[in-house]
Amino acid sequence: MDALIGLCLTVLLVTPAVGGADLPSNTGRNSDEKTSRRHSNDGRPSPSASPPHVVMFVIDDLGWNDVSYNGAEFSTPNIDQLANSGIKLNQYYVNRVCSPTRSSLMAGRYAYNMGQDGTVITNGHPYSLPLNHTTLGDKMREAGYSTHAIGKWDLGYYKWAATPTYRGFDTFYGYYNADEDYLTHSCGALYIDPQTHKHHPMHGVDFRNNKDPELTKNGSYSTTVFTQQAEKLIMGHNVSEPFFLYMAYQAVHGPLEAPQKYLDMCVHINRTDRQIFCGMMKALDEGIGNITARLKAAGMWDNTVIVFTTDNGGQNHVGGNNWPLRGNKATMWEGGVRGIGFVAGVGVSKPFVYDGLMHASDWLPTLAKVAGASPTTKQPLDGMDVWEELTANATSPRTEVLISLNPPRVPTAQHPHQQYMEGTAAIRVQNWKLILGQPDCGGHGTDTTNGTMTKCPGGWVHPSGVEIPPPANNDHV
Protein backbone atom coordinates (compact mmCIF):
# COMPACT_ATOMS: atom_id res chain seq x y z
CA MET A 1 0.00 0.00 0.00
CA ASP A 2 3.02 2.36 0.34
CA ALA A 3 2.85 3.09 -3.38
CA LEU A 4 -0.68 4.41 -2.95
CA ILE A 5 0.01 6.89 -0.16
CA GLY A 6 -0.89 10.42 -1.16
CA LEU A 7 -3.49 9.46 -3.76
CA CYS A 8 -7.03 10.77 -3.81
CA LEU A 9 -8.96 9.09 -1.00
CA THR A 10 -12.71 8.53 -0.93
CA VAL A 11 -14.62 6.91 1.93
CA LEU A 12 -18.20 5.88 1.32
CA LEU A 13 -20.81 4.62 3.73
CA VAL A 14 -22.71 1.89 1.94
CA THR A 15 -25.95 1.72 3.87
CA PRO A 16 -29.08 0.93 1.88
CA ALA A 17 -29.64 -2.09 -0.29
CA VAL A 18 -30.74 -1.22 -3.81
CA GLY A 19 -34.50 -1.03 -3.75
CA GLY A 20 -34.65 1.09 -0.62
CA ALA A 21 -34.34 -1.40 2.22
CA ASP A 22 -31.64 -0.65 4.77
CA LEU A 23 -28.87 -3.15 5.39
CA PRO A 24 -28.81 -4.79 8.80
CA SER A 25 -26.10 -3.65 11.21
CA ASN A 26 -23.89 -6.53 10.08
CA THR A 27 -23.33 -7.47 6.43
CA GLY A 28 -25.70 -10.43 6.45
CA ARG A 29 -29.00 -11.42 8.00
CA ASN A 30 -29.35 -12.70 11.53
CA SER A 31 -28.94 -16.40 12.14
CA ASP A 32 -32.53 -16.69 13.38
CA GLU A 33 -33.68 -15.90 9.84
CA LYS A 34 -32.34 -19.20 8.50
CA THR A 35 -34.56 -21.06 6.09
CA SER A 36 -34.81 -24.81 5.95
CA ARG A 37 -33.24 -26.77 3.09
CA ARG A 38 -32.27 -30.31 2.28
CA HIS A 39 -28.62 -31.32 2.38
CA SER A 40 -26.71 -34.52 2.19
CA ASN A 41 -24.57 -35.49 5.15
CA ASP A 42 -21.53 -33.75 3.64
CA GLY A 43 -23.30 -30.40 3.20
CA ARG A 44 -24.18 -30.70 -0.48
CA PRO A 45 -27.72 -29.86 -1.64
CA SER A 46 -29.43 -33.17 -2.22
CA PRO A 47 -32.84 -34.04 -3.58
CA SER A 48 -30.89 -37.20 -4.45
CA ALA A 49 -27.74 -38.80 -3.09
CA SER A 50 -25.64 -37.88 -6.13
CA PRO A 51 -23.63 -34.66 -6.42
CA PRO A 52 -25.59 -31.91 -8.19
CA HIS A 53 -24.86 -30.77 -11.71
CA VAL A 54 -23.53 -27.20 -11.80
CA VAL A 55 -24.09 -24.66 -14.57
CA MET A 56 -22.32 -21.31 -14.16
CA PHE A 57 -23.38 -18.47 -16.45
CA VAL A 58 -20.74 -15.70 -16.69
CA ILE A 59 -22.13 -12.70 -18.57
CA ASP A 60 -19.66 -10.18 -19.97
CA ASP A 61 -20.12 -6.50 -19.00
CA LEU A 62 -23.63 -7.01 -17.62
CA GLY A 63 -24.73 -3.93 -15.69
CA TRP A 64 -26.97 -3.67 -12.64
CA ASN A 65 -29.87 -2.30 -14.70
CA ASP A 66 -29.48 -4.61 -17.70
CA VAL A 67 -32.06 -7.23 -16.65
CA SER A 68 -35.76 -6.58 -16.25
CA TYR A 69 -35.92 -7.89 -12.67
CA ASN A 70 -33.71 -4.93 -11.77
CA GLY A 71 -35.66 -2.41 -13.83
CA ALA A 72 -34.36 -2.59 -17.42
CA GLU A 73 -36.69 -1.11 -20.03
CA PHE A 74 -36.73 -4.41 -21.94
CA SER A 75 -37.80 -7.84 -20.72
CA THR A 76 -35.49 -10.77 -19.90
CA PRO A 77 -38.12 -13.37 -18.91
CA ASN A 78 -35.91 -16.45 -18.72
CA ILE A 79 -33.24 -14.78 -16.61
CA ASP A 80 -35.96 -13.23 -14.45
CA GLN A 81 -37.64 -16.58 -13.90
CA LEU A 82 -34.40 -18.10 -12.63
CA ALA A 83 -33.54 -15.09 -10.47
CA ASN A 84 -37.03 -14.82 -9.00
CA SER A 85 -36.95 -18.48 -8.01
CA GLY A 86 -33.51 -18.19 -6.45
CA ILE A 87 -31.22 -16.13 -4.22
CA LYS A 88 -30.41 -12.66 -5.59
CA LEU A 89 -27.02 -11.38 -4.48
CA ASN A 90 -27.26 -7.79 -3.29
CA GLN A 91 -23.78 -7.19 -1.82
CA TYR A 92 -21.66 -9.18 -4.26
CA TYR A 93 -18.38 -7.74 -5.57
CA VAL A 94 -16.32 -8.35 -8.68
CA ASN A 95 -13.31 -6.54 -10.14
CA ARG A 96 -13.70 -3.49 -12.34
CA VAL A 97 -12.61 -5.32 -15.52
CA CYS A 98 -12.86 -8.82 -16.92
CA SER A 99 -9.63 -10.83 -16.56
CA PRO A 100 -9.13 -10.00 -12.86
CA THR A 101 -12.66 -11.12 -12.00
CA ARG A 102 -12.35 -14.29 -14.06
CA SER A 103 -9.01 -15.02 -12.39
CA SER A 104 -10.61 -14.68 -8.95
CA LEU A 105 -13.56 -16.79 -9.96
CA MET A 106 -11.39 -19.50 -11.47
CA ALA A 107 -8.68 -19.63 -8.77
CA GLY A 108 -10.45 -18.49 -5.59
CA ARG A 109 -7.98 -15.68 -4.88
CA TYR A 110 -7.92 -11.90 -5.04
CA ALA A 111 -6.58 -10.75 -8.41
CA TYR A 112 -3.88 -8.73 -6.65
CA ASN A 113 -2.44 -11.88 -5.09
CA MET A 114 -2.02 -13.39 -8.56
CA GLY A 115 -0.53 -10.33 -10.26
CA GLN A 116 -3.74 -9.90 -12.24
CA ASP A 117 -5.31 -6.77 -10.73
CA GLY A 118 -6.20 -4.06 -13.19
CA THR A 119 -4.89 -6.06 -16.14
CA VAL A 120 -6.94 -7.39 -19.03
CA ILE A 121 -5.21 -10.37 -20.63
CA THR A 122 -6.05 -9.19 -24.07
CA ASN A 123 -4.97 -10.05 -27.56
CA GLY A 124 -1.39 -11.27 -27.73
CA HIS A 125 -0.31 -10.72 -24.14
CA PRO A 126 2.41 -13.19 -23.09
CA TYR A 127 1.09 -14.16 -19.66
CA SER A 128 -1.87 -15.88 -18.02
CA LEU A 129 -3.62 -16.88 -14.84
CA PRO A 130 -0.55 -18.24 -13.00
CA LEU A 131 0.10 -21.85 -13.97
CA ASN A 132 0.84 -22.88 -10.38
CA HIS A 133 -2.77 -22.25 -9.33
CA THR A 134 -5.56 -24.79 -8.94
CA THR A 135 -8.64 -23.84 -10.97
CA LEU A 136 -12.34 -24.36 -10.45
CA GLY A 137 -12.21 -26.82 -13.34
CA ASP A 138 -9.51 -28.78 -11.52
CA LYS A 139 -11.62 -28.99 -8.36
CA MET A 140 -14.76 -30.12 -10.18
CA ARG A 141 -12.81 -32.72 -12.13
CA GLU A 142 -11.24 -33.90 -8.85
CA ALA A 143 -14.78 -34.52 -7.57
CA GLY A 144 -15.58 -36.70 -10.57
CA TYR A 145 -17.36 -34.16 -12.73
CA SER A 146 -17.40 -33.97 -16.49
CA THR A 147 -16.11 -30.42 -17.04
CA HIS A 148 -16.82 -28.14 -19.98
CA ALA A 149 -15.98 -24.51 -20.79
CA ILE A 150 -17.82 -22.58 -23.48
CA GLY A 151 -17.31 -19.00 -24.66
CA LYS A 152 -14.79 -16.45 -23.44
CA TRP A 153 -11.59 -17.65 -21.74
CA ASP A 154 -9.59 -14.41 -21.28
CA LEU A 155 -7.12 -16.06 -18.88
CA GLY A 156 -4.17 -16.35 -21.22
CA TYR A 157 -2.99 -18.49 -24.13
CA TYR A 158 0.70 -17.73 -24.50
CA LYS A 159 1.38 -21.47 -24.13
CA TRP A 160 -0.89 -24.50 -24.28
CA ALA A 161 -0.60 -25.01 -20.52
CA ALA A 162 -2.53 -21.75 -20.03
CA THR A 163 -5.54 -22.84 -22.08
CA PRO A 164 -8.79 -24.43 -20.83
CA THR A 165 -8.19 -28.09 -21.69
CA TYR A 166 -4.97 -27.94 -19.66
CA ARG A 167 -6.66 -26.18 -16.75
CA GLY A 168 -9.27 -28.63 -15.61
CA PHE A 169 -11.74 -28.73 -18.51
CA ASP A 170 -12.46 -31.82 -20.57
CA THR A 171 -13.70 -29.72 -23.48
CA PHE A 172 -13.52 -26.12 -24.66
CA TYR A 173 -15.56 -24.36 -27.33
CA GLY A 174 -14.93 -20.65 -27.65
CA TYR A 175 -12.26 -17.97 -27.92
CA TYR A 176 -9.11 -17.17 -25.97
CA ASN A 177 -9.07 -13.36 -26.20
CA ALA A 178 -10.97 -10.58 -24.44
CA ASP A 179 -13.30 -9.56 -27.27
CA GLU A 180 -13.99 -10.16 -30.93
CA ASP A 181 -16.63 -9.88 -33.65
CA TYR A 182 -19.84 -11.83 -32.92
CA LEU A 183 -20.22 -13.03 -36.51
CA THR A 184 -16.75 -13.36 -38.02
CA HIS A 185 -15.18 -14.40 -34.68
CA SER A 186 -12.11 -12.41 -35.61
CA CYS A 187 -10.14 -9.96 -33.54
CA GLY A 188 -7.14 -7.72 -33.70
CA ALA A 189 -4.12 -8.79 -31.71
CA LEU A 190 -0.76 -7.41 -30.70
CA TYR A 191 2.05 -9.95 -30.62
CA ILE A 192 4.81 -8.94 -28.18
CA ASP A 193 8.17 -10.45 -29.06
CA PRO A 194 9.55 -11.89 -25.78
CA GLN A 195 13.13 -11.17 -26.86
CA THR A 196 12.89 -7.66 -28.31
CA HIS A 197 9.66 -6.61 -26.57
CA LYS A 198 8.54 -5.10 -29.85
CA HIS A 199 4.83 -5.02 -30.68
CA HIS A 200 3.63 -6.58 -33.93
CA PRO A 201 -0.03 -6.17 -35.03
CA MET A 202 -1.96 -9.25 -36.08
CA HIS A 203 -5.54 -10.03 -37.08
CA GLY A 204 -7.38 -13.31 -37.43
CA VAL A 205 -10.08 -15.72 -36.31
CA ASP A 206 -10.10 -16.70 -32.64
CA PHE A 207 -12.42 -19.67 -32.29
CA ARG A 208 -11.43 -23.09 -30.94
CA ASN A 209 -13.06 -26.48 -30.65
CA ASN A 210 -10.83 -27.84 -27.90
CA LYS A 211 -7.38 -27.01 -29.35
CA ASP A 212 -8.42 -27.05 -32.99
CA PRO A 213 -9.34 -23.90 -34.92
CA GLU A 214 -13.07 -23.70 -35.66
CA LEU A 215 -13.40 -22.10 -39.09
CA THR A 216 -16.91 -23.15 -40.09
CA LYS A 217 -18.92 -20.60 -38.08
CA ASN A 218 -18.24 -17.42 -40.03
CA GLY A 219 -21.56 -15.55 -40.13
CA SER A 220 -23.06 -17.46 -37.18
CA TYR A 221 -23.92 -15.33 -34.14
CA SER A 222 -21.79 -16.36 -31.18
CA THR A 223 -24.58 -16.29 -28.58
CA THR A 224 -26.55 -18.77 -30.67
CA VAL A 225 -23.51 -20.93 -31.47
CA PHE A 226 -22.45 -21.16 -27.83
CA THR A 227 -25.99 -22.01 -26.74
CA GLN A 228 -26.23 -24.78 -29.32
CA GLN A 229 -22.95 -26.27 -28.12
CA ALA A 230 -24.21 -26.26 -24.53
CA GLU A 231 -27.42 -27.98 -25.59
CA LYS A 232 -25.40 -30.61 -27.47
CA LEU A 233 -23.26 -31.34 -24.40
CA ILE A 234 -26.29 -31.61 -22.13
CA MET A 235 -28.23 -33.95 -24.41
CA GLY A 236 -25.16 -36.17 -24.87
CA HIS A 237 -24.34 -36.38 -21.17
CA ASN A 238 -24.78 -39.48 -19.01
CA VAL A 239 -27.08 -38.05 -16.32
CA SER A 240 -25.77 -40.50 -13.72
CA GLU A 241 -22.45 -38.59 -13.75
CA PRO A 242 -22.04 -35.06 -12.33
CA PHE A 243 -21.80 -32.33 -14.96
CA PHE A 244 -20.10 -28.91 -14.71
CA LEU A 245 -20.64 -26.30 -17.41
CA TYR A 246 -18.73 -23.01 -17.30
CA MET A 247 -20.88 -20.99 -19.71
CA ALA A 248 -19.00 -17.72 -20.31
CA TYR A 249 -21.04 -15.97 -22.99
CA GLN A 250 -19.46 -13.30 -25.20
CA ALA A 251 -22.60 -11.24 -24.63
CA VAL A 252 -23.02 -8.45 -23.83
CA HIS A 253 -19.52 -7.05 -24.36
CA GLY A 254 -18.97 -4.79 -27.36
CA PRO A 255 -19.02 -4.63 -30.32
CA LEU A 256 -22.74 -3.91 -30.54
CA GLU A 257 -24.12 -6.63 -32.83
CA ALA A 258 -27.44 -8.48 -32.85
CA PRO A 259 -29.48 -10.34 -35.48
CA GLN A 260 -32.46 -8.46 -36.84
CA LYS A 261 -35.09 -10.71 -35.23
CA TYR A 262 -33.86 -9.63 -31.81
CA LEU A 263 -33.59 -5.97 -32.80
CA ASP A 264 -37.24 -6.14 -33.86
CA MET A 265 -38.09 -6.83 -30.19
CA CYS A 266 -36.46 -3.56 -29.16
CA VAL A 267 -38.01 -0.93 -31.40
CA HIS A 268 -39.51 0.83 -28.38
CA ILE A 269 -36.01 2.00 -27.35
CA ASN A 270 -34.91 5.24 -29.03
CA ARG A 271 -31.19 5.21 -28.22
CA THR A 272 -29.38 3.34 -30.97
CA ASP A 273 -26.74 1.79 -28.72
CA ARG A 274 -29.26 0.74 -26.07
CA GLN A 275 -31.55 -0.69 -28.75
CA ILE A 276 -28.81 -2.93 -30.12
CA PHE A 277 -27.78 -3.84 -26.59
CA CYS A 278 -31.40 -4.82 -25.94
CA GLY A 279 -31.24 -7.14 -28.97
CA MET A 280 -28.08 -8.73 -27.61
CA MET A 281 -29.81 -9.27 -24.26
CA LYS A 282 -32.83 -10.79 -26.00
CA ALA A 283 -30.57 -13.32 -27.73
CA LEU A 284 -28.80 -14.06 -24.45
CA ASP A 285 -32.05 -14.50 -22.55
CA GLU A 286 -33.35 -16.88 -25.21
CA GLY A 287 -30.11 -18.87 -24.99
CA ILE A 288 -30.35 -19.24 -21.22
CA GLY A 289 -33.97 -20.31 -21.62
CA ASN A 290 -32.96 -22.94 -24.19
CA ILE A 291 -30.25 -24.33 -21.91
CA THR A 292 -32.69 -24.49 -19.01
CA ALA A 293 -35.17 -26.35 -21.22
CA ARG A 294 -32.48 -28.82 -22.27
CA LEU A 295 -31.56 -29.53 -18.67
CA LYS A 296 -35.21 -30.35 -18.00
CA ALA A 297 -35.53 -32.50 -21.11
CA ALA A 298 -32.40 -34.44 -20.15
CA GLY A 299 -33.74 -35.14 -16.65
CA MET A 300 -30.98 -33.07 -15.04
CA TRP A 301 -32.84 -29.97 -13.89
CA ASP A 302 -34.04 -31.23 -10.50
CA ASN A 303 -30.44 -31.87 -9.48
CA THR A 304 -28.75 -28.76 -10.92
CA VAL A 305 -27.28 -25.71 -9.21
CA ILE A 306 -27.39 -22.54 -11.33
CA VAL A 307 -24.92 -19.71 -10.75
CA PHE A 308 -25.34 -16.45 -12.66
CA THR A 309 -22.76 -13.63 -12.48
CA THR A 310 -21.38 -10.67 -14.35
CA ASP A 311 -17.63 -10.09 -14.56
CA ASN A 312 -17.82 -6.30 -13.95
CA GLY A 313 -20.22 -3.41 -14.22
CA GLY A 314 -21.94 -2.34 -17.40
CA GLN A 315 -20.27 -0.28 -20.12
CA ASN A 316 -22.46 2.79 -20.60
CA HIS A 317 -20.97 3.90 -23.91
CA VAL A 318 -21.95 0.62 -25.58
CA GLY A 319 -25.48 0.48 -24.22
CA GLY A 320 -25.03 -1.00 -20.74
CA ASN A 321 -26.49 0.62 -17.65
CA ASN A 322 -25.83 0.45 -13.90
CA TRP A 323 -28.61 2.70 -12.57
CA PRO A 324 -29.07 3.53 -9.73
CA LEU A 325 -25.44 2.67 -8.94
CA ARG A 326 -22.74 5.22 -9.62
CA GLY A 327 -20.08 4.73 -12.26
CA ASN A 328 -19.17 2.44 -15.08
CA LYS A 329 -17.11 -0.61 -15.89
CA ALA A 330 -13.43 0.17 -15.12
CA THR A 331 -14.31 2.47 -12.20
CA MET A 332 -14.15 1.68 -8.47
CA TRP A 333 -17.63 3.07 -7.92
CA GLU A 334 -20.40 0.60 -7.13
CA GLY A 335 -21.54 0.58 -10.74
CA GLY A 336 -18.15 -0.77 -11.75
CA VAL A 337 -17.60 -3.41 -9.07
CA ARG A 338 -20.90 -4.36 -7.44
CA GLY A 339 -21.90 -7.37 -9.48
CA ILE A 340 -25.31 -8.57 -10.49
CA GLY A 341 -25.72 -12.26 -9.70
CA PHE A 342 -27.92 -14.99 -8.27
CA VAL A 343 -28.01 -18.67 -7.36
CA ALA A 344 -30.96 -20.92 -8.25
CA GLY A 345 -31.90 -24.57 -8.53
CA VAL A 346 -31.36 -27.42 -6.13
CA GLY A 347 -30.54 -26.38 -2.57
CA VAL A 348 -32.56 -23.17 -2.79
CA SER A 349 -35.76 -23.78 -0.82
CA LYS A 350 -37.35 -20.37 -1.40
CA PRO A 351 -36.50 -17.10 -3.16
CA PHE A 352 -35.03 -14.14 -1.29
CA VAL A 353 -32.51 -11.32 -1.60
CA TYR A 354 -29.22 -12.07 0.14
CA ASP A 355 -27.57 -9.06 1.78
CA GLY A 356 -24.49 -10.92 2.98
CA LEU A 357 -21.13 -9.80 1.65
CA MET A 358 -19.69 -11.94 -1.17
CA HIS A 359 -16.82 -11.81 -3.66
CA ALA A 360 -16.07 -13.54 -6.96
CA SER A 361 -13.26 -15.51 -5.27
CA ASP A 362 -15.88 -17.26 -3.12
CA TRP A 363 -17.17 -19.36 -6.00
CA LEU A 364 -14.28 -21.85 -6.05
CA PRO A 365 -14.49 -22.93 -2.39
CA THR A 366 -18.29 -22.70 -2.41
CA LEU A 367 -18.79 -24.86 -5.50
CA ALA A 368 -16.05 -27.24 -4.40
CA LYS A 369 -18.11 -27.79 -1.24
CA VAL A 370 -21.25 -28.33 -3.29
CA ALA A 371 -19.41 -30.84 -5.48
CA GLY A 372 -17.84 -32.70 -2.56
CA ALA A 373 -14.29 -31.76 -3.53
CA SER A 374 -11.61 -31.08 -0.95
CA PRO A 375 -10.97 -27.41 -0.08
CA THR A 376 -7.22 -27.84 -0.69
CA THR A 377 -5.58 -25.89 -3.54
CA LYS A 378 -1.98 -25.27 -4.59
CA GLN A 379 -2.09 -21.69 -3.28
CA PRO A 380 -3.87 -20.23 -0.23
CA LEU A 381 -7.42 -19.12 -0.92
CA ASP A 382 -8.89 -15.68 -0.35
CA GLY A 383 -12.35 -16.97 -1.19
CA MET A 384 -14.69 -18.39 1.43
CA ASP A 385 -17.17 -21.24 1.31
CA VAL A 386 -20.46 -19.37 1.75
CA TRP A 387 -22.90 -22.12 0.72
CA GLU A 388 -24.39 -22.78 4.15
CA GLU A 389 -24.82 -19.09 4.97
CA LEU A 390 -26.06 -18.24 1.50
CA THR A 391 -28.74 -20.89 1.31
CA ALA A 392 -29.76 -20.31 4.95
CA ASN A 393 -30.02 -16.52 4.48
CA ALA A 394 -27.60 -16.23 7.40
CA THR A 395 -24.81 -13.78 8.20
CA SER A 396 -21.98 -13.97 5.71
CA PRO A 397 -18.61 -15.20 7.02
CA ARG A 398 -17.15 -12.21 5.20
CA THR A 399 -16.71 -8.83 6.85
CA GLU A 400 -14.48 -7.35 4.16
CA VAL A 401 -13.65 -7.59 0.48
CA LEU A 402 -10.47 -6.38 -1.21
CA ILE A 403 -12.04 -5.10 -4.41
CA SER A 404 -8.84 -3.95 -6.08
CA LEU A 405 -5.23 -3.04 -5.32
CA ASN A 406 -3.43 -1.76 -8.38
CA PRO A 407 -0.09 0.04 -7.84
CA PRO A 408 1.02 2.84 -10.19
CA ARG A 409 2.57 1.83 -13.51
CA VAL A 410 5.16 3.74 -15.49
CA PRO A 411 7.02 3.05 -18.75
CA THR A 412 10.28 1.14 -18.32
CA ALA A 413 13.13 0.12 -20.60
CA GLN A 414 11.68 -3.37 -20.76
CA HIS A 415 8.12 -2.14 -21.29
CA PRO A 416 8.47 1.23 -23.06
CA HIS A 417 4.89 1.13 -24.34
CA GLN A 418 3.42 0.85 -20.85
CA GLN A 419 0.96 3.69 -20.45
CA TYR A 420 1.29 5.63 -17.22
CA MET A 421 -1.44 4.65 -14.78
CA GLU A 422 -2.12 6.20 -11.41
CA GLY A 423 -2.34 3.68 -8.60
CA THR A 424 -5.85 2.78 -7.44
CA ALA A 425 -7.39 0.61 -4.76
CA ALA A 426 -10.75 -0.13 -3.15
CA ILE A 427 -11.83 -2.16 -0.15
CA ARG A 428 -15.21 -2.80 1.46
CA VAL A 429 -15.21 -3.38 5.25
CA GLN A 430 -18.64 -4.10 6.70
CA ASN A 431 -20.77 -1.11 5.65
CA TRP A 432 -17.82 1.14 4.69
CA LYS A 433 -15.96 1.38 1.41
CA LEU A 434 -12.56 3.04 0.91
CA ILE A 435 -11.33 4.17 -2.50
CA LEU A 436 -7.75 5.32 -3.11
CA GLY A 437 -7.34 7.10 -6.40
CA GLN A 438 -9.89 6.48 -9.12
CA PRO A 439 -9.28 4.98 -12.55
CA ASP A 440 -9.65 7.53 -15.31
CA CYS A 441 -11.40 5.63 -18.05
CA GLY A 442 -11.99 8.58 -20.32
CA GLY A 443 -13.79 11.26 -18.34
CA HIS A 444 -17.45 12.20 -18.70
CA GLY A 445 -19.56 13.17 -21.65
CA THR A 446 -22.46 12.45 -23.95
CA ASP A 447 -22.55 12.72 -27.72
CA THR A 448 -25.42 15.15 -28.09
CA THR A 449 -25.93 14.30 -31.77
CA ASN A 450 -27.59 10.97 -30.99
CA GLY A 451 -27.63 10.75 -27.20
CA THR A 452 -25.03 8.00 -27.15
CA MET A 453 -22.58 7.92 -24.26
CA THR A 454 -19.10 8.15 -25.77
CA LYS A 455 -16.86 8.29 -22.71
CA CYS A 456 -16.63 6.47 -19.44
CA PRO A 457 -18.72 8.27 -16.82
CA GLY A 458 -17.90 8.53 -13.13
CA GLY A 459 -21.35 9.77 -12.13
CA TRP A 460 -24.88 8.41 -12.28
CA VAL A 461 -26.05 7.51 -15.77
CA HIS A 462 -29.81 7.35 -16.26
CA PRO A 463 -31.17 4.59 -18.57
CA SER A 464 -31.72 7.37 -21.11
CA GLY A 465 -27.93 7.58 -21.40
CA VAL A 466 -27.57 10.99 -19.79
CA GLU A 467 -25.59 11.73 -16.63
CA ILE A 468 -27.86 13.27 -14.02
CA PRO A 469 -27.68 14.12 -10.31
CA PRO A 470 -27.67 11.10 -7.98
CA PRO A 471 -31.04 9.44 -7.26
CA ALA A 472 -32.72 10.48 -4.02
CA ASN A 473 -31.37 8.72 -0.93
CA ASN A 474 -28.80 6.84 -3.01
CA ASP A 475 -26.06 9.45 -3.36
CA HIS A 476 -23.53 7.18 -1.65
CA VAL A 477 -23.93 3.96 -3.70
Side-chain angles (χ1 to χ4, degrees), residues 104-375:
S104 291
L105 186 156
M106 195 60 66
R109 305 189 75 203
Y110 290 136
Y112 172 77
N113 285 335
M114 298 180 284
Q116 301 294 311
D117 206 330
T119 301
V120 176
I121 306 175
T122 190
N123 311 340
H125 285 185
Y127 49 85
S128 70
L129 173 69
L131 300 180
N132 62 345
H133 282 57
T134 305
T135 69
L136 179 57
D138 291 328
K139 298 307 293 183
M140 302 303 278
R141 180 185 277 176
E142 173 190 307
Y145 278 68
S146 170
T147 59
H148 308 277
I150 294 177
K152 177 173 174 173
W153 180 239
D154 199 28
L155 293 173
Y157 64 101
Y158 76 106
K159 59 171 65 176
W160 284 119
T163 60
T165 53
Y166 291 80
R167 308 225 64 176
F169 291 97
D170 299 330
T171 69
F172 173 66
Y173 191 79
Y175 60 106
Y176 292 149
N177 283 295
D179 60 272
E180 63 181 15
D181 190 274
Y182 280 76
L183 294 167
T184 65
H185 315 293
S186 62
C187 63
L190 200 63
Y191 170 69
I192 305 173
D193 189 304
Q195 302 300 322
T196 65
H197 304 289
K198 290 184 177 179
H199 293 56
H200 305 281
M202 300 186 300
H203 186 84
V205 173
D206 180 11
F207 198 155
R208 299 275 176 168
N209 186 350
N210 297 318
K211 291 172 60 177
D212 298 328
E214 171 58 87
L215 302 176
T216 68
K217 299 300 181 182
N218 186 18
S220 297
Y221 192 59
S222 74
T223 302
T224 302
V225 171
F226 293 154
T227 298
Q228 290 171 343
Q229 179 68 9
E231 292 182 86
K232 178 182 176 181
L233 288 172
I234 291 166
M235 295 309 292
H237 183 70
N238 180 351
V239 297
S240 66
E241 299 177 358
F243 174 85
F244 173 53
L245 174 60
Y246 175 72
M247 189 70 191
Y249 275 108
Q250 179 177 357
V252 280
H253 195 289
L256 289 169
E257 295 177 296
Q260 188 62 45
K261 71 173 184 176
Y262 301 111
L263 295 175
D264 290 343
M265 303 177 190
C266 303
V267 293
H268 62 287
I269 299 175
N270 293 325
R271 278 177 57 201
T272 300
D273 58 352
R274 187 66 168 169
Q275 184 182 86
I276 302 173
F277 185 94
C278 166
M280 296 165 74
M281 282 300 301
K282 287 290 187 179
L284 173 68
D285 185 74
E286 179 183 274
I288 289 174
N290 290 346
I291 290 173
T292 301
R294 284 295 184 186
L295 289 167
K296 293 175 180 178
M300 298 167 63
W301 176 252
D302 290 338
N303 194 36
T304 296
V305 172
I306 299 289
V307 173
F308 180 98
T309 176
T310 186
D311 62 346
N312 46 247
Q315 182 69 285
N316 283 282
H317 80 271
V318 288
N321 190 252
N322 300 302
W323 181 265
L325 302 182
R326 180 181 185 179
N328 189 82
K329 169 186 176 177
T331 72
M332 298 296 189
W333 304 119
E334 293 289 89
V337 297
R338 188 162 164 186
I340 186 167
F342 60 79
V343 176
V346 63
V348 178
S349 61
K350 69 177 184 181
F352 57 88
V353 175
Y354 186 60
D355 285 327
L357 200 58
M358 283 188 63
H359 183 256
S361 63
D362 296 335
W363 291 122
L364 184 147
T366 298
L367 293 179
K369 170 68 171 292
V370 167
S374 76

Side-chain angles (χ1 to χ4, degrees), residues 6-46:
L7 297 177
C8 173
L9 181 149
T10 305
V11 181
L12 304 173
L13 174 62
V14 186
T15 48
V18 170
D22 285 344
L23 283 174
S25 58
N26 206 331
T27 52
R29 296 193 184 271
N30 296 328
S31 58
D32 60 0
E33 296 180 282
K34 289 183 179 179
T35 57
S36 60
R37 68 214 186 278
R38 293 176 293 173
H39 278 139
S40 62
N41 291 334
D42 59 8
R44 296 196 305 264
S46 61

